[in-house]
Amino acid sequence: MRQRVLIAGTSPLLAGRLAARCLAGTPGAEVVLVSAALSRPGQAAPDRRELARFVAGCAGEGESAEAFGAERLSVVCAEPHAVAAELKAWAAEQVWCVVPGWDRSPARGARADAVLTGALLGALPDLGARGYVHVGPDTAADEDRAHRALERLVVEAALNAGVSWRVLRTPPVVDARAPALGECPPGAHRLLRALHSVRAEIEDRAPGWFERHPLRVAGWAGLGLSLLDAERAVAELWRAGAPGELPDGFATVPRPAPVPLADVLARGGAVHGIDVRPVPEGESLGAEDRLLDLRLAEVRRHAVPLGNRTGPEEREGALPRAPGTGASAAPPLSPAAQWDLFGAVRACQSSRREVREPELRRRVVDVAGRALVLWDGGNGEGTPLLVLNALGQGPGFLNRLCAHLAPYHRLATWQVRGTEREDPDWGVPRQLDDIEAVLEAVGWERAHLLGWCTGAKIATAFQQRRPEAVASLVFLNATFRQDGHWDGMDTKYESDLAAVCRALDRRPEKAARMLDLLAPGAVGGKGGSRGDRDAGVLGVLSPALADEVRRPFRDAEVLVRYARQLVDLWRLDSAAQAPRVTVPTLFVSSEFDGISSPARAREAARRFPRARYAELAVAGHYAPHDRPALVAELITEFVRAPHEVTGLVRDAEITWHIDGEGAAR
């Protein structure tokens, strides 16, 4: 009878490599690989086929996915909470629990790791296991109390079950194929991801910008980063925990000597075509420099002082390494190996298909005797999302956001009416009727309502009309401009727009002369909430939005209809409605929004009893387009657990100004 090893982990990278090591190094062994990776916008977990290919590729030359597919390798993919049910179908002589704590959200990751560990420990008697191996992060006890608590739980449960146990710890690893698995371990991968994402965001606005401009970074002197090759780490883990007569105890994968962060950043920047220049700490940084600095904040926080060779086993409170396991610090990766590895990661990053268009079906329904165009689709369980665009705008602004949301949620959006030549006057009541019609067309009784820009006020009004139909409200770069309220908070664009729209409402014949005054193609160069601070290239409109942003300004008749819609919207008393909104509400604004005032949105948020308010640093009005993965992650975590979102989504780019009921700052 074959020996069966069950390897379950929240890291498909580490669990998959351990499965490959078992298959290649243990003749006749059968492996059950259970991937419990959390899948979310911007970091999709691999499916069964992708994992099987990865394991086969790691197992060695000559092996194939077919050789392992049904005979020696079984792959199961399940969310952590569903693993317990999946385990009922299996038995195994040895069980591995791989929870290295690499989730970008410590709170979210710790919860998933605890759920998976509990499921495996609870199933030990039914699995028939004789040995249990726990793989966690190599951190000091006071840095990671959650995982140290899991280790204590493992030891107690193994003793009670009468099975042998091993507790192993590993530093973060570097692996060329990590991006293909949707994984981004701390350290070097977070650094390379920061470089890749900053380049993509800037190049989307200004192709070729990096050929003429460097990026500056500060605060890197005297710090280093350990670069541990994944294959080496897995070899150490397997040696310390492989099936056999090993004593119970602890073992730690040795960390390589740190490489100066400045060197890692220079090589990573060169691989990504970015000239990265260190500058003294305290030197003023431009908006583009700040964006990179924010995305590197976590890397800097986890760096170690150069010359500090103290291993984790020597730290106060750390548990000793078991006799005969581990070794002294390994030599660092050579510069040549770093170049090769960083280049391979960059190639893997670039080969991943970037989500641009949502896979939604287009439909036309008759509402009030006129055609209404809507798009719906998506996956996922739970209450769906209804996405309300801004007045006068086409779907292009929200395409990227919807594409990141669609794999995890059912959603619907539609072409907001009222500016086409054939449309009659289409005030707020008719907009609310359209929301009713869309809900009926897609067959939903209840939905989370997302409103972008002017859509926020209309969404608030709909919640007041049909409170039972709205599960929560999400406002993206919201404008709450209202006659007689929150005065003195207009951006320059809002002030100009208000003056022109009121003039056109009275004198529509002047529209032809005003067409070129309002199109906000270059708005964002100055921050709406931070005075005259310059957003630099981050204030440039993406060429992908050029036609969309001019949609309400394409001819005089359309402009007049758009102006009258706005004048009507400004009469809507959202200030009075807000205190009566009883559902959870999330505001997402941007530091450099030069179109919708972040200051007014923040003040409006204080009127909503259950509001949270997040502001994105060095972002503009079109953040749902420019940073769709981050905005989609905020939305996904909010609609899943609105009271926990501020703890689950902690990012250096996000400032929570209102992070709980009655907790405005």
Side-chain angles (χ1 to χ4, degrees):
M1 181 179 177
R2 279 181 173 168
Q3 182 182 42
R4 180 181 288 165
V5 178
L6 188 147
I7 302 174
T10 53
S11 165
L13 170 67
L14 204 55
R17 278 199 169 274
L18 283 165
R21 175 69 60 163
C22 181
L23 290 166
T26 310
E30 180 183 343
V31 173
V32 179
L33 175 60
V34 181
S35 175
L38 290 171
S39 187
R40 59 189 182 277
Q43 195 162 319
D47 59 24
R48 293 175 62 252
R49 185 169 297 181
E50 290 171 318
L51 271 176
R53 285 199 298 264
F54 174 69
V55 173
C58 295
E61 294 182 11
E63 299 289 1
S64 66
E66 290 75 17
F68 293 147
E71 186 179 354
R72 296 182 60 199
L73 175 65
S74 300
V75 179
V76 177
C77 294
E79 290 286 313
H81 69 270
V83 167
E86 297 286 349
L87 294 177
K88 294 177 181 179
W90 301 101
E93 286 73 32
Q94 189 186 51
V95 174
W96 286 65
C97 178
V98 184
V99 287
W102 294 347
D103 195 291
R104 290 187 65 218
S105 166
R108 179 177 55 206
R111 179 177 300 174
D113 292 344
V115 169
L116 177 61
T117 304
L120 291 170
L121 293 176
L124 275 180
D126 294 331
L127 289 168
R130 297 195 301 269
Y132 187 92
V133 182
H134 182 87
V135 179
D138 170 28
T139 53
D142 58 348
E143 295 173 351
D144 195 345
R145 296 180 181 178
H147 281 94
R148 291 300 173 261
L150 283 185
E151 291 180 353
R152 293 192 294 271
L153 181 65
V154 165
V155 174
E156 288 297 325
L159 291 173
N160 291 335
V163 302
S164 63
W165 58 271
R166 303 284 289 161
V167 172
L168 311 180
R169 299 169 182 165
T170 180
V173 302
V174 188
D175 191 296
R177 283 177 279 191
L181 298 175
E183 195 153 3
C184 191
H189 274 289
R190 304 274 168 95
L191 183 147
L192 296 172
R193 181 175 180 168
L195 291 166
H196 180 76
S197 63
V198 168
R199 181 179 179 89
E201 187 167 333
I202 290 177
E203 286 282 315
D204 184 59
R205 293 172 168 88
W209 188 86
F210 287 100
E211 296 176 8
R212 303 179 300 278
H213 300 89
L215 286 180
R216 300 176 300 155
V217 295
W220 296 83
L223 296 176
L225 204 61
S226 293
L227 305 178
L228 177 62
D229 180 74
E231 187 174 352
R232 181 193 295 179
V234 168
E236 290 281 344
L237 290 170
W238 189 252
R239 185 171 66 85
E245 298 300 323
L246 289 174
D248 297 346
F250 296 83
T252 302
V253 175
R255 288 177 179 261
V259 178
L261 256 177
D263 294 350
V264 178
L265 190 57
R267 293 185 184 110
V271 162
H272 284 82
I274 302 174
D275 178 8
V276 183
R277 300 181 183 178
V279 297
E281 194 162 7
E283 185 167 324
S284 177
L285 300 177
E288 306 85 5
D289 307 320
R290 284 182 56 213
L291 181 61
L292 178 60
D293 185 71
L294 287 167
R295 293 182 182 174
L296 291 173
E298 185 185 9
V299 179
R300 187 186 300 110
R301 189 167 60 250
H302 288 94
V304 298
L306 291 173
N308 180 7
R309 300 299 180 89
T310 302
E313 67 278 5
E314 296 170 320
R315 301 177 188 143
E316 183 179 357
L319 293 163
R321 180 179 294 161
T325 63
S328 57
L333 284 179
S334 68
Q338 292 177 47
W339 281 109
D340 291 342
L341 188 55
F342 294 172
V345 171
R346 168 77 196 282
C348 190
Q349 290 170 329
S350 301
S351 66
R352 295 188 71 196
R353 183 177 66 87
E354 186 173 353
V355 179
R356 294 282 185 174
E357 298 291 335
E359 295 181 0
L360 305 177
R361 59 175 175 168
R362 182 182 185 274
R363 291 197 279 162
V364 180
V365 297
D366 185 274
V367 180
R370 297 181 178 275
L372 185 148
V373 181
L374 67 88
W375 296 264
D376 68 301
N379 300 298
E381 301 176 353
T383 306
L385 309 179
L386 205 60
V387 183
L388 176 56
N389 206 345
L391 293 175
Q393 308 301 323
F397 293 105
L398 301 176
N399 272 351
R400 289 187 187 176
L401 177 63
C402 288
H404 280 79
L405 290 170
Y408 308 96
H409 309 272
R410 290 174 295 151
L411 60 86
T413 187
W414 66 99
Q415 178 61 59
V416 176
R417 301 195 286 183
T419 56
E420 299 303 321
R421 294 180 184 85
E422 62 273 16
D423 289 340
D425 289 340
W426 214 267
V428 171
R430 283 189 166 180
Q431 299 291 351
L432 303 184
D433 292 342
D434 280 353
I435 300 177
E436 297 255 22
V438 171
L439 281 172
E440 182 177 353
V442 296
W444 300 343
E445 294 182 358
R446 197 163 185 259
H448 301 283
L449 190 51
L450 278 63
W452 179 61
C453 193
T454 55
K457 291 190 72 174
I458 296 171
T460 303
F462 184 78
Q463 194 278 334
Q464 293 294 282
R465 178 196 276 196
R466 287 279 312 280
E468 76 284 356
V470 179
S472 73
L473 292 169
V474 178
F475 301 145
L476 307 176
N477 298 94
T479 175
F480 272 85
R481 194 177 197 283
Q482 179 178 329
D483 294 342
H485 287 278
W486 300 302
D487 292 332
M489 296 183 181
D490 282 358
T491 63
K492 183 180 185 303
Y493 179 77
E494 285 175 310
S495 297
D496 295 343
L497 182 67
V500 172
C501 287
R502 295 192 186 286
L504 289 178
D505 188 38
R506 297 188 302 269
R507 301 286 301 276
E509 68 274 10
K510 293 185 176 181
R513 283 180 278 171
M514 297 185 176
L515 281 174
D516 296 330
L517 298 179
L518 291 176
V523 166
K526 298 292 181 180
S529 64
R530 301 295 178 93
D532 292 327
R533 290 182 63 181
D534 195 345
V537 73
L538 296 177
V540 175
L541 181 74
S542 167
L545 297 178
D547 291 337
E548 295 286 354
V549 80
R550 293 179 176 84
R551 187 182 181 94
F553 312 100
R554 60 188 185 274
D555 65 45
E557 186 175 351
V558 169
L559 178 57
V560 171
R561 292 179 179 276
Y562 179 59
R564 285 175 170 166
Q565 277 193 318
L566 290 175
V567 170
D568 178 64
L569 184 70
W570 295 332
R571 299 188 187 107
L572 181 63
D573 193 354
S574 298
Q577 292 177 335
R580 301 196 299 267
V581 173
T582 57
V583 296
T585 307
L586 173 67
F587 283 72
V588 182
S589 293
S590 302
E591 175 187 357
F592 286 137
D593 192 337
I595 294 178
S596 296
S597 167
R600 181 188 289 113
R602 189 159 57 246
E603 288 306 309
R606 300 184 194 280
R607 300 285 187 103
F608 287 76
R610 301 177 65 186
R612 270 78 172 155
Y613 180 97
E615 187 167 292
L616 306 182
V618 287
H621 186 65
Y622 306 108
H625 173 89
D626 298 329
R627 299 184 194 171
L630 181 59
V631 175
E633 183 178 355
L634 272 167
I635 294 168
T636 297
E637 294 292 359
F638 173 73
V639 301
R640 186 182 66 80
H643 299 292
E644 302 176 21
V645 64
T646 58
L648 294 173
V649 187
R650 288 289 175 182
D651 192 290
E653 293 177 56
I654 299 174
T655 300
W656 290 99
H657 290 273
I658 302 176
D659 56 12
E661 294 167 28
R665 296 199 302 274

